[in-house]
Amino acid sequence: TQSTWGLSNGPSPDTMSKTTSLCDSISSHAWNADRSMIAVAPNNNEVHIFDTKGSTDTTKWERLYILAEHDQTVTSVDWAPQSNQILSASQDRNAYVWNFDGTDWKPTLVILRINRAATHVRWSSDGGKFAVASGAKVVPVCYFEPSGNWWISKMIKRHRSTVMSVDWHPNGRVLATGCSDYKCRILSAYVEEVDAKKSVSGPFASVTSFGEVLYEFDNSRGWVHAAMWAPSGYALAFAGHDSTIAFVNFDDQGNKLSEKEPQLIKWKGLPFKSMLFLADNSLAAAGYDCSISLFMQHVDNSWNFVRNLEDEQQSTTTEKVSGFSAAKNLFQTKVTRAGPAIGGAKQNDAGIPPVNKHYNAITCLRPYTPSRKGLSTITSSGVDGRLLFWPLSSLESEFASLTVTEE
């Protein structure tokens, strides 16, 4: 719902945005609260802020600001809807919180205390603190110290290798991490200066410690690229470099619903790099396959693959050809799919549209507009420099056919 994601309705796209690349490459992107502006990390030391002009056509967007405080590649950005603050992290081992003063964006110092690259960042749901994944095997959890006008950090030191991703539980007291030591962890991240006056309920509401390992999952046989909580906080998903995706369901106290969990799904394609819950019972995952795959939860709490988001558009295109021509087109498209990533044309020589809308790995999925049953539109960005909109209205019937047990 709208309150769950902290979103306001932006422009309503009827179709996918044009396939013109926004940048040469995009490592991360994040929207402001009303979807009128977007922060893009174009795989260099800058963060670009675009005014969307109320359009989902990226060719109409205007770049208003370039944030260039970092010395090396910006790896991740996030935008707090409540405070309108932008968070950026970089391989230069720094993070900045950017505040708009009415004319320009000004950075605020963050005391990270790490000696390796910062790899991923996320604000807590209320914007009171944020977490930074790093190559230093630690996760700084940062909160604002008014007396020094800076953000200070407390360290979680429970990892054995580079931390690839972080994601906050909706109650802000628990953090999920994906790590290159092949493990996904759930860690306590209660900060008394920030959380003491907040009343929370649901899973992990009783957590008042910091840095404690609540769960450690070693189901993956590769780096855990992404970990993400469901909007209600009753489910967690994580994806590994061994092309697996795992789901864990929890009860009101934060206990696993079954000792058999996590449920592990062995994916036949390439690994996922980013995930996004569309609702409590549905998840989108994307990565090196250059496509977005949908998973849904059934009444018995099990999760299954449903289809790729591109399937519907592909079926519309392939209806126009048949027989030998269709087979030839399919083969040619698959062969040339990665062309633009290495300097090729937007389409192949035969003028055939691509099988997927992305030509290279998808690095980031983000919520765009909410609906009564979850998200109605999401956005994706990738190594090919494209930022695409994905309307999900066609999934309403699929959502309706599934029922999630009330927690």
Side-chain angles (χ1 to χ4, degrees):
T1 62
Q2 184 166 334
S3 58
T4 302
W5 280 279
L7 310 181
S8 300
N9 286 309
S12 179
D14 296 324
T15 58
M16 234 178 274
S17 61
K18 290 187 176 181
T19 55
T20 302
S21 294
L22 189 64
C23 310
D24 289 338
S25 182
I26 299 176
S27 54
S28 180
H29 73 278
W31 293 96
N32 71 343
D34 64 5
R35 276 35 190 174
S36 62
M37 301 182 75
I38 185 172
V40 175
N43 204 31
N44 58 23
N45 68 312
E46 301 172 343
V47 178
H48 295 183
I49 310 297
F50 290 88
D51 181 352
T52 65
K53 304 294 184 180
S55 173
T56 58
D57 181 352
T58 58
T59 62
K60 298 179 180 179
W61 294 0
E62 179 185 1
R63 188 175 65 188
L64 299 180
Y65 307 97
I66 297 178
L67 314 184
E69 193 73 15
H70 288 286
D71 295 326
Q72 296 183 31
T73 301
V74 175
T75 54
S76 184
V77 293
D78 200 15
W79 202 322
Q82 300 88 349
S83 62
N84 196 39
Q85 293 175 308
I86 298 173
L87 173 62
S88 63
S90 168
Q91 292 176 1
D92 63 7
R93 301 169 296 174
N94 291 316
Y96 291 105
V97 176
W98 300 83
N99 297 276
F100 190 67
D101 64 2
T103 57
D104 204 356
W105 290 90
K106 303 295 184 182
T108 303
L109 180 64
V110 179
I111 310 298
L112 279 188
R113 298 181 292 128
I114 59 176
N115 58 6
R116 294 292 187 274
T119 58
H120 194 247
V121 290
R122 284 295 180 265
W123 287 103
S124 60
S125 58
D126 63 356
K129 56 186 177 179
F130 60 87
V132 182
S134 77
K137 308 179 186 179
V138 298
V139 176
V141 174
C142 305
Y143 60 97
F144 190 66
E145 176 54 58
S147 61
N149 192 33
W150 55 26
W151 293 77
I152 59 176
S153 60
K154 297 181 69 174
M155 292 293 188
I156 296 179
K157 303 178 180 180
R158 299 291 185 175
H159 303 85
R160 299 176 183 175
S161 189
T162 297
V163 184
M164 310 292 289
S165 67
V166 291
D167 194 50
W168 287 97
H169 189 276
N171 68 19
R173 299 190 175 196
V174 170
L175 192 66
T177 63
C179 187
S180 59
D181 62 6
Y182 299 4
K183 294 182 179 180
C184 174
R185 294 175 176 85
I186 299 177
L187 304 130
S188 62
Y190 179 89
V191 177
E192 186 169 358
E193 292 86 343
V194 179
D195 301 316
K197 297 181 180 180
K198 299 175 184 176
S199 177
V200 298
S201 59
F204 308 106
S206 61
V207 170
T208 55
S209 61
F210 183 88
E212 179 185 356
V213 178
L214 305 180
Y215 288 98
E216 187 175 87
F217 304 113
D218 59 358
N219 306 78
S220 176
R221 294 297 176 263
W223 295 1
V224 178
H225 286 295
M228 190 168 197
W229 290 101
S232 66
Y234 281 92
L236 172 73
F238 59 93
H241 196 68
D242 59 346
S243 294
T244 59
I245 184 168
F247 297 90
V248 193
N249 298 292
F250 299 94
D251 62 17
D252 286 328
Q253 286 70 47
N255 301 312
K256 292 191 299 181
L257 287 185
S258 169
E259 287 303 317
K260 296 181 180 180
E261 297 191 7
Q263 178 196 347
L264 193 69
I265 297 177
K266 295 182 179 179
W267 182 240
K268 295 181 179 180
L270 298 177
F272 297 121
K273 190 170 175 60
S274 181
M275 299 185 299
L276 180 65
F277 273 93
L278 310 178
D280 281 326
N281 65 335
S282 59
L283 176 133
Y288 296 100
D289 265 339
C290 314
S291 61
I292 301 177
S293 303
L294 298 178
F295 295 84
M296 288 190 177
Q297 185 184 38
H298 296 270
V299 291
D300 61 355
N301 291 317
S302 65
W303 289 81
N304 294 99
F305 168 71
V306 178
R307 63 176 174 86
N308 288 332
L309 271 183
E310 295 86 350
D311 288 348
E312 187 172 303
Q313 184 163 3
Q314 283 179 235
S315 63
T316 302
T317 302
T318 55
E319 284 176 1
K320 299 177 181 179
V321 294
S322 60
F324 176 78
S325 296
K328 180 182 177 182
N329 289 353
L330 179 62
F331 174 77
Q332 288 182 326
T333 305
K334 285 181 176 292
V335 169
T336 59
R337 180 176 64 181
I342 54 174
K346 296 301 180 185
Q347 296 182 339
N348 59 31
D349 294 338
I352 304 168
V355 172
N356 300 312
K357 286 294 176 179
H358 279 284
Y359 285 105
N360 211 322
I362 298 172
T363 56
C364 185
L365 296 177
R366 286 293 197 171
Y368 184 68
T369 52
S371 70
R372 186 175 58 86
K373 296 182 180 181
L375 290 174
S376 61
T377 308
I378 65 174
T379 55
S380 64
S381 60
V383 178
D384 56 5
R386 293 180 171 189
L387 193 144
L388 302 176
F389 291 77
W390 300 87
L392 305 175
S393 56
S394 61
L395 299 179
E396 290 292 331
S397 59
E398 294 177 54
F399 291 156
S401 65
L402 297 174
T403 304
V404 180
T405 304
E406 291 291 327
E407 303 288 357

